Amino acid sequence: MLTTASLTYAHSAWGTLRQIYPRARASKLWAMPPAARCWLLGTVLLACGWAVLDTLRLPGVEALAWLQLVVLAGCSIAYHQRTRAAEERRRGTLRRANREHVDQTSIFFFPAALILPAPLAIVIVVLLRALRYRIAHTPLHRYAFTTAAIVLSVLGVHTIAEVTPLGAELAGHLPLRGGNVVATLAVVPLIGAAIGWYFAAQAAIVGIARGLVVGGTARRTRRAARIKPGARRAPRTRAHWNAAALLGDWATNRFILITLLLASLVALATAFSVFMLLAAAAVAIAATRSERELRERTTTSLYDDMTGLLRRAQFELAATLKLEADAARGRATALLFADVDDFKGWNTRLGHDGGDQVLCELAKTLKAIARRDDVIGRWGGEEFVLALPDADADAALATAERLRDTFSRIRITADDPVGGGELVINDKRVPGEGFTVSIGVAISPQHGGSIDVLKTRASIAMQQAKKDGKNRVVLASGGAPHRSPVGV
């Protein structure tokens, strides 16, 4: 019986391996050049081994360290929650521009490495990185690799603090708190060394991985060219091993160094009170959230950065000119007010960057159905407006129905916020299976003589479309009632 059970379990395990192996072969990790794959796995194993060794030789943890851990963890979670939307959109923008992404999480990792025991510092890293993975849009193996690089940086900084007077100074065991100026100044070069290690370790680890990936891909290309008859051999190049390719652009490195300088000030302030970390969290939150807002406020473009449609003020101006021209000729002007149904739910499912992709698709649909003289704008959030000059109620309703029907059949491929894969919504283009939109329609002069009044009446009609079941068109009250067919 024992032999039979063993054979059964062995057969089951073999069947599981046969299923896993093809998936592993097809994974993005397996598709990497062998040298790069070994470098990634070796980095992760080194970080895990070093962390285990530091944990095993830890004699004990003081009560102050536990308090510092709790405060740091709380600040890290607050930072993540308050900056999640802005950070996800920033990641998506940089990814689409093929630029490297960095954030300000070092403002928590660096002080943790200096003031906490190594295992507790790693807890902060793992906690915040786990939270950030939900918006990373990155394959798991790449995210684990960059997390391992951060862990190695943190452990190196902790070692510097441990073997020099820096750790004792920040813990309050030496004269830093007593106002000894000489002792305080002596800490500065040690902090500089810690910053240098933190920066250089990650730059070297990530830079070497980048070089191995690019170099291995180039070798595969040259090998394929040799096999293909008549193909010209690709030239050999070492450009991927130069300083710019390994270290990245100066703007990114400057951002990292500024963050580390701020983090070092946080570590010094923590030597006086652990609750100074609360101020650091507030600064990091404000900096991250204001970056996108500042960029949007300072832009001089007439168009929305994401969708390419007119901004609200520019739409009102352009639409008003069309409306006045139609009024002078005794013609009607229509205004459509469209809102994506259940957008908050899609935002939760796809992440904020995925939600932005949905809005971009709706903008493309609006452009596709619009005439040359029509005016299209993004009113705000998931709300869009379309002004139709020389269009009566019948023409406006026909356009609105075409927009509703087209968008209900749309197939969208969005980036999965978890794992960096792709999510295909409404692959078979079945009406209503994916995204839908509710539309309100108002006509001038029947419903008003200004864009502001027309927009208000169309907005009320759009809300009625939501109440009627969504995915439908409603004409503003005051004219012949219109409802999209039930069940569309």
Side-chain angles (χ1 to χ4, degrees):
M1 183 178 295
L2 182 60
T3 303
T4 303
S6 300
L7 291 175
T8 301
Y9 283 122
H11 184 268
S12 177
W14 174 247
T16 303
L17 289 175
R18 291 184 62 185
Q19 293 178 357
I20 293 175
Y21 181 71
R23 296 178 183 178
R25 293 277 303 189
S27 68
K28 294 182 179 180
L29 174 61
W30 195 272
M32 296 177 65
R37 194 188 317 143
C38 292
W39 180 258
L40 263 66
L41 295 176
T43 301
V44 173
L45 292 175
L46 177 61
C48 293
W50 192 347
V52 170
L53 288 177
D54 274 1
T55 302
L56 292 177
R57 66 185 184 87
L58 182 68
V61 179
E62 298 178 354
L64 178 61
W66 288 113
L67 175 61
Q68 292 170 334
L69 173 66
V70 171
V71 175
L72 259 175
C75 291
S76 301
I77 295 172
Y79 170 78
H80 168 74
Q81 294 295 334
R82 298 292 294 174
T83 63
R84 177 173 178 171
E87 187 65 24
E88 183 178 3
R89 289 193 171 100
R90 180 170 176 267
R91 285 172 180 262
T93 300
L94 292 174
R95 186 182 65 256
R96 288 189 289 270
N98 198 27
R99 292 177 56 192
E100 186 176 357
H101 170 267
V102 293
D103 57 21
Q104 290 190 305
T105 51
S106 297
I107 202 172
F108 302 104
F109 299 156
F110 190 77
L114 290 174
I115 66 176
L116 290 179
L120 300 189
I122 295 173
V123 168
I124 297 298
V125 175
V126 173
L127 171 65
L128 191 48
R129 292 289 292 177
L131 292 173
R132 278 295 197 241
Y133 183 62
R134 295 287 302 173
I135 60 172
H137 297 274
T138 304
L140 179 59
H141 67 274
R142 288 183 56 188
Y143 200 74
F145 166 72
T146 52
T147 302
I150 295 173
V151 169
L152 290 175
S153 296
V154 165
L155 291 174
V157 170
H158 177 77
T159 301
I160 292 174
E162 193 175 39
V163 301
T164 66
L166 180 59
E169 289 277 9
L170 296 178
H173 300 316
L174 290 179
L176 178 61
R177 296 193 187 191
N180 189 314
V181 178
V182 176
T184 302
L185 293 177
V187 169
V188 174
L190 297 178
I191 291 181
I195 291 176
W197 167 267
Y198 191 95
F199 176 82
Q202 289 190 53
I205 293 171
V206 175
I208 291 174
R210 189 185 299 118
L212 291 173
V213 170
V214 174
T217 303
R219 284 193 296 273
R220 287 179 177 176
T221 302
R222 291 194 299 269
R223 191 179 303 116
R226 287 196 300 268
I227 296 174
K228 187 177 180 180
R232 190 169 68 177
R233 179 174 297 182
R236 292 180 177 271
T237 177
R238 293 288 181 179
H240 53 279
W241 290 114
N242 59 32
L246 294 177
L247 299 179
D249 60 275
W250 166 241
T252 300
N253 291 323
R254 181 178 57 191
F255 180 82
I256 296 173
L257 290 174
I258 291 174
T259 302
L260 289 175
L261 289 174
L262 181 59
S264 64
L265 295 178
V266 173
L268 288 172
T270 307
F272 294 91
S273 173
V274 66
F275 295 102
M276 293 296 292
L277 292 169
L278 300 176
V283 170
I285 291 171
T288 302
R289 297 186 67 185
S290 65
E291 181 185 6
R292 182 178 178 89
E293 296 175 4
L294 181 63
R295 178 159 37 88
E296 291 178 350
R297 290 178 182 177
T298 55
T299 181
T300 58
S301 173
L302 299 176
Y303 299 94
D304 177 60
D305 292 336
M306 183 177 64
T307 62
L309 302 181
L310 287 172
R311 298 179 186 275
R312 179 187 296 190
Q314 283 71 36
F315 170 83
E316 288 181 323
L317 177 60
T320 298
L321 293 175
K322 298 287 186 181
L323 177 65
E324 292 176 351
D326 279 345
R329 294 174 173 83
R331 299 184 305 199
T333 304
L335 189 139
L336 276 56
F337 194 92
D339 184 277
V340 180
D341 295 329
D342 303 314
F343 185 70
K344 290 184 178 179
W346 287 110
N347 237 359
T348 301
R349 178 180 175 184
L350 301 177
H352 292 282
D353 186 54
D356 290 348
Q357 291 178 261
V358 176
L359 298 182
C360 289
E361 291 296 332
L362 178 55
K364 292 178 183 177
T365 306
L366 281 165
K367 294 176 183 177
I369 70 168
R371 302 169 302 177
R372 176 180 297 181
D373 292 335
D374 294 343
V375 183
I376 316 172
R378 183 183 180 192
W379 195 258
E382 63 271 23
E383 298 172 337
F384 295 81
V385 282
L386 176 64
L388 305 174
D390 191 18
D392 58 14
D394 291 338
L397 291 172
T399 300
E401 286 290 357
R402 189 162 67 253
L403 170 61
R404 181 202 61 76
D405 181 66
T406 302
F407 193 65
S408 71
R409 300 172 185 270
I410 199 167
R411 174 187 183 273
I412 295 180
T413 301
D415 295 328
D416 189 349
V418 181
E422 291 184 340
L423 293 175
V424 180
I425 310 299
N426 200 6
D427 189 31
K428 297 182 179 180
R429 301 182 185 273
V430 178
E433 284 294 316
F435 307 97
T436 60
V437 63
S438 296
I439 305 172
V441 179
I443 311 296
S444 173
Q446 182 179 356
H447 298 119
S450 69
I451 289 298
D452 187 54
V453 173
L454 290 177
K455 176 259 155 188
T456 301
R457 299 293 297 276
S459 175
I460 294 173
M462 181 272 295
Q463 294 295 336
Q464 185 62 49
K466 298 276 190 184
K467 294 179 182 178
D468 288 350
K470 306 175 184 177
N471 187 25
R472 61 195 65 225
V473 176
V474 171
L475 181 65
S477 60
H482 171 85
R483 298 286 191 276
S484 296
V486 177
V488 295

